[in-house]
Amino acid sequence: MLRIGDFSKLSRISIRMLRHYDEIGLLHPDSVDDFTGYRYYSEAQLPLAGRIQTLKSLGFGLSVIKEIIDKYEDTAEMERFLLVKRRELEAEAEAARQKLTLLDSTLKWLRKDGNLMDYNVTLKTIPERYVASVRQVIPAYDCEGMLWEMMNRELEPQKVQQASPCYGMAVFHDEEHKEHDPDVEIQINVAGEYQDTEHVKFKTVPPIQIASATYKGSYEQIPRVNEAVANWVVENGYDFDGKSFCIYHVSPGQTSDPEELVTEVCFPVKKK
């Protein structure tokens, strides 16, 4: 039999945690002295302690570990647990990558003196356009690519010709920022007349006056660009007047480098 201190050293689990494991039913002592209350463990319990430590190092919580331990010898069940954890870790890694991208973007911005007005805001009118359009509610803003894939697939049979300028853009129809299920429309200018398809509709869009700012780099800059446009609109006596949209001058479909993207953030406006 091993005293709790010896078992702690051999298993590399602190005495405090061994007592906690006992309390939650994860790893009980082999025996407890009725008179002194001392806990004693068996060397045969060391493999179980090792399994617990391994599962903790993989990121499993104690409540899940307790469930897994009961099925440790079942290969199929173990694979299921591990695959679920793998998907969780992949999601966490992707979230961390996005945060790193935002941090890098913020650092670059700060090294340019942090001046929001580095974004040059202009007032202009986009003339009347004939466009191919797809509008759907999508799971999230970063799922916009599914709309472009849908448009490209359905336009191919008609050999649709893009106009110049193409003005590939995304229009955001919700009255607020949506955490889930935003209503997004994509458009491209086209030359010629074509038949509507299952998801692609052809229509004429009237001219529109906008305040806009064009920037180069990743989309994490958009909140700062929005602030620059908002400041300009207020300072120059305009009101926002319609759905915001982005024009993709260099889109993800044209480059794999986020720093090469060129995006114009646009807000319809009218004079007060």
Side-chain angles (χ1 to χ4, degrees), residues 1-206:
M1 300 295 289
L2 300 170
R3 291 177 297 181
I4 190 170
D6 294 327
F7 191 81
S8 170
K9 293 176 183 177
L10 291 166
S11 65
R12 301 179 67 83
I13 302 173
S14 70
I15 291 176
R16 180 183 66 83
M17 287 307 299
L18 285 172
R19 288 173 175 159
H20 181 58
Y21 293 170
D22 183 18
E23 291 171 359
I24 65 175
L26 182 58
L27 176 58
H28 294 299
D30 190 64
S31 65
V32 180
D33 188 292
D34 293 334
F35 181 70
T36 63
Y38 290 164
R39 294 172 168 87
Y40 293 93
Y41 292 81
S42 165
E43 62 274 13
Q45 292 179 285
L46 288 171
L48 174 57
R51 291 172 181 177
I52 293 170
Q53 292 296 84
T54 297
L55 292 169
K56 279 187 67 178
S57 69
L58 292 174
F60 289 101
L62 294 181
S63 60
V64 178
I65 290 175
K66 187 176 179 182
E67 181 182 356
I68 296 174
I69 288 296
D70 293 336
K71 302 175 181 178
Y72 203 89
E73 302 300 332
D74 186 328
T75 303
E77 281 295 301
M78 280 301 301
E79 182 177 1
R80 181 177 68 83
F81 280 117
L82 293 174
L83 287 174
V84 168
K85 176 53 68 175
R86 191 180 197 283
R87 287 192 289 270
E88 290 177 2
L89 292 175
E90 286 176 341
E92 291 172 6
E94 178 58 28
R97 281 193 291 271
Q98 292 178 2
K99 289 178 182 178
L100 284 170
T101 300
L102 178 57
L103 281 169
D104 289 341
S105 174
T106 303
L107 284 169
K108 289 179 181 178
W109 171 63
L110 288 173
R111 288 165 184 166
K112 295 178 180 178
D113 300 324
N115 185 358
L116 280 173
M117 294 315 292
D118 282 345
Y119 301 112
N120 184 35
V121 180
T122 60
L123 180 70
K124 64 182 180 181
T125 298
I126 297 179
E128 181 178 279
R129 300 171 294 121
Y130 184 62
V131 304
S133 163
V134 175
R135 178 178 175 179
Q136 286 197 358
V137 173
I138 57 179
Y141 292 106
D142 60 6
C143 296
E144 184 186 312
M146 63 189 293
L147 301 181
W148 291 104
E149 292 174 5
M150 185 183 298
M151 175 179 282
N152 291 336
R153 184 172 60 251
E154 295 187 16
L155 292 186
E156 176 61 27
Q158 296 192 64
K159 305 298 181 185
V160 173
Q161 298 297 309
Q162 296 183 0
S164 181
C166 175
Y167 279 146
M169 68 172 62
V171 184
F172 308 106
H173 285 277
D174 296 296
E175 295 298 327
E176 60 178 333
H177 177 80
K178 298 287 290 292
E179 296 294 338
H180 305 286
D181 303 322
D183 181 357
V184 179
E185 177 186 2
I186 61 168
Q187 299 176 358
I188 59 169
N189 290 5
V190 297
E193 297 289 332
Y194 305 95
Q195 295 295 316
D196 290 348
T197 65
E198 180 180 359
H199 300 102
V200 181
K201 308 303 177 186
F202 294 91
K203 63 182 181 180
T204 299
V205 179

Side-chain angles (χ1 to χ4, degrees), residues 101 105 108 112 214-221 247-264:
T101 300
S105 174
K108 289 179 181 178
K112 295 178 180 178
T214 301
Y215 70 95
K216 184 176 181 180
S218 66
Y219 297 143
E220 282 77 13
Q221 296 182 66
I247 299 174
Y248 304 119
H249 297 287
V250 178
S251 71
Q254 297 169 293
T255 178
S256 59
D257 183 357
E259 296 306 315
E260 295 300 319
L261 299 172
V262 179
T263 309
E264 184 175 0

